[in-house]
Amino acid sequence: MIDFGLSEEQKELQRLAREFALKEIRPHAEEHDRAGKFPREIAKKAFEIGLLNLNIPQNYNGAGLKVLDEVIIAEELSYGCSGISTALAANNLATAPVIIAGNEEQKKKYLGMMTKELTFASYAVTEPQAGSDVAGIQTSAKLVGDEYIINGSKQWITGASEAKWFYVLAKTDPSKGHKGMSAFIVDANTPGVKVGKKEDMMGQRASATHAVIFEEVKIPKLNILGVEGEGFKIAMKAFDHTRPGIAANAVGVARAAMEHAIDYSKTRTSFGVPIAMHQGINFMISDMACEIEAARLLAWQAAWAMDNNIRNTKLAAFAKRFAADTAMKVATDAVQIFGGYGYSNEYPVAKLMRDAKIFQIYEGTSQIQRLIIAKEIFLR
Ligand SMILES: Cc1cc2nc3c(=O)[nH]c(=O)nc-3n(C[C@H](O)[C@H](O)[C@H](O)COP(=O)(O)OP(=O)(O)OC[C@H]3O[C@@H](n4cnc5c(N)ncnc54)[C@H](O)[C@@H]3O)c2cc1C
């Protein structure tokens, strides 16, 4: 039986997140965007009312929510401001590999750390020369005695300046391609870990994105996740957990852009009528509403599959690809509906358009989602 209704608990989570987004996020969005300020104070409030680290199991004092619950919350927080919600959600991507592949000791230490007090962690996979082509990374990890020595550079790491630890993908056996990659937890205060300058980004400017450099970084060999050679698999599996949430974040941005476009189109007049009366405008809004609904349903479906132990790689790629492209299209059309005012930073849709673009790039570009979908269609 198919049921698209939310349970009472889910409606309550949605209400809580929406209220938080409207009261605590949106009023501060512009300031954080302009200054590129990391939203530590907002994160603290989100942590206190239980809107952070939703994916961490209850054994480690987390909320232990289902992916579908996380997705419902993600849409609302991003509806407030996706730069701020991305800063809050970086933890989800860093902790997912630990939840998937960590042993009990690692989970107790690193997941426990996240729930004890406000703590940030980052997922460090991308490198200056390798983003989409993850197997092309150069960072190496060599086992010497009881320690791994890590050398290399990571690029575009969300929340890096705030992170207490990093999930790091490195090559332990470069001759084996993606099967020679391993996953590690690296404490940020380990000698040799350096966080580079903050990137001056087009959108989502509150999310503190930096390069991270590892120079002769010695970590205990116990900090490997799983066994040598499993890193690529773990890194990719993490995306099956997190892409439904990223899709929902994109839906939140699209919904905000559509609402602004609807309000504006009712008050702005041309040729003697509100512009909403022109079919050229109301068809644009009609398409926005339809595509946002479809994107949301894809995100929910991908989350539902994960919650029901159904392999969701293709569904998560459907959701991420469609929702990202929808957010970009809706935000661009919202700017169009605002006309010249849409191009001004004094009106909200310009920021939404800048923010929307990144959904087509991070956590796998829209092209890479298409590759994943094609691979699932032709090779499975
Ligand atoms: C704001 C921001 C935050 C980020 N946060 C993180 C983070 O926290 N952790 C992390 O590890 N990474 C992070 N990233 C990195 C992000 O995941 C990569 O930028 C992304 O995967 C693309 O990699 P790239 O930039 O190297 O582009 P490239 O891989 O060089 O791609 C360039 C272009 O070529 C296209 N392309 C590449 N290969 C193919 C192909 N086979 N077929 C068709 N088209 C192709 C791509 O789609 C893209 O359009 C972040 C990036 C940004 C901008």
Side-chain angles (χ1 to χ4, degrees):
M1 195 67 184
I2 295 176
D3 182 355
F4 294 106
L6 300 182
S7 68
E8 286 309 311
E9 290 78 16
Q10 286 166 334
K11 282 186 199 160
E12 181 51 28
L13 284 174
Q14 188 180 47
R15 192 200 54 75
L16 179 75
R18 188 171 297 174
E19 201 177 293
F20 188 81
L22 291 175
K23 275 198 189 147
E24 305 291 351
I25 297 183
R26 198 173 276 188
H28 306 286
E30 195 196 330
E31 163 206 344
H32 283 77
D33 176 58
R34 212 181 315 111
K37 180 175 153 194
F38 188 81
R40 180 163 275 279
E41 286 307 309
I42 296 172
K44 198 162 166 262
K45 287 182 185 160
F47 180 82
E48 279 159 9
I49 64 164
L51 286 175
L52 274 198
N53 304 314
L54 305 168
N55 58 338
I56 295 184
Q58 288 177 342
N59 305 1
Y60 312 101
N61 292 325
L65 292 188
K66 293 189 171 235
V67 181
L68 182 53
D69 302 332
E70 286 182 56
V71 155
I72 292 164
I73 292 170
E75 177 183 330
E76 300 308 322
L77 298 183
S78 188
Y79 172 73
C81 168
S82 65
I84 292 174
S85 72
T86 293
L88 307 188
N91 280 358
N92 295 348
L93 187 55
T95 53
V98 182
I99 294 168
I100 292 166
N103 59 35
E104 194 50 32
E105 220 160 291
Q106 290 165 338
K107 286 181 179 174
K108 266 193 193 144
K109 180 169 175 192
Y110 290 98
L111 300 181
M113 197 188 286
M114 310 303 291
T115 56
K116 195 162 170 235
E117 57 187 9
L118 178 63
T119 302
F120 297 98
S122 295
Y123 177 95
V125 168
T126 304
E127 300 194 354
Q129 306 304 327
S132 305
D133 181 12
V134 174
I137 64 164
Q138 301 294 317
T139 296
S140 64
K142 271 193 194 134
L143 185 61
V144 180
D146 281 347
E147 292 176 324
Y148 278 100
I149 303 179
I150 301 185
N151 279 293
S153 291
K154 299 292 180 179
Q155 183 70 25
W156 305 115
I157 307 308
T158 303
S161 54
E162 310 294 319
K164 212 161 180 184
W165 56 270
F166 297 97
Y167 162 80
V168 177
L169 193 64
K171 285 198 165 153
T172 37
D173 185 349
S175 69
K176 288 191 181 155
H178 71 273
K179 290 191 174 154
M181 297 164 93
S182 305
F184 300 93
I185 301 172
V186 179
D187 287 289
N189 63 3
T190 315
V193 177
K194 288 186 199 134
V195 174
K197 74 165 178 61
K198 190 166 80 182
E199 300 294 342
D200 185 7
M201 300 192 301
M202 172 200 286
Q204 299 206 349
R205 290 169 50 80
S207 58
T209 302
H210 295 254
V212 184
I213 301 105
F214 299 92
E215 269 173 18
E216 293 290 307
V217 174
K218 293 180 182 158
I219 59 163
K221 77 172 183 189
L222 296 173
N223 276 25
I224 188 167
L225 285 169
V227 296
E228 277 195 16
E230 280 187 348
F232 184 81
K233 207 171 70 186
I234 297 167
M236 295 304 114
K237 224 171 165 190
F239 288 138
D240 292 346
H241 285 251
T242 56
R243 279 182 184 145
I246 297 293
N249 286 144
V251 171
V253 169
R255 198 178 102 212
M258 178 178 72
E259 284 184 8
H260 287 302
I262 292 171
D263 290 347
Y264 188 79
S265 70
K266 288 196 234 170
T267 55
R268 178 74 178 174
T269 58
S270 77
F271 302 96
V273 292
I275 59 169
M277 300 299 285
H278 301 306
Q279 199 176 62
I281 298 290
N282 64 41
F283 270 22
M284 261 197 252
I285 290 174
S286 158
D287 285 350
M288 287 179 184
C290 177
E291 283 156 29
I292 288 172
E293 193 73 19
R296 180 183 296 116
L297 290 176
L298 284 174
W300 284 12
Q301 178 180 239
W304 168 87
M306 174 56 74
D307 287 335
N308 286 282
N309 298 318
I310 298 167
R311 191 172 178 280
N312 76 338
T313 303
K314 184 168 72 177
L315 298 178
F318 279 168
K320 163 75 168 58
R321 201 290 284 163
F322 189 78
D325 292 352
T326 295
M328 195 61 230
K329 179 165 179 287
V330 169
T332 308
D333 285 351
V335 169
Q336 192 66 24
I337 288 171
F338 271 70
Y341 297 98
Y343 205 62
S344 161
N345 281 327
E346 281 187 31
Y347 290 78
V349 286
K351 172 182 181 301
L352 292 170
M353 186 175 163
R354 288 188 284 107
D355 286 348
K357 182 63 199 168
I358 192 60
F359 292 114
Q360 294 179 311
I361 297 173
Y362 64 16
E363 291 221 17
T365 66
S366 289
Q367 289 74 33
I368 293 305
Q369 303 311 315
R370 287 180 173 89
L371 275 184
I372 294 168
I373 294 164
K375 212 165 146 192
E376 291 284 314
I377 291 170
F378 292 110
L379 300 179
R380 282 191 77 88

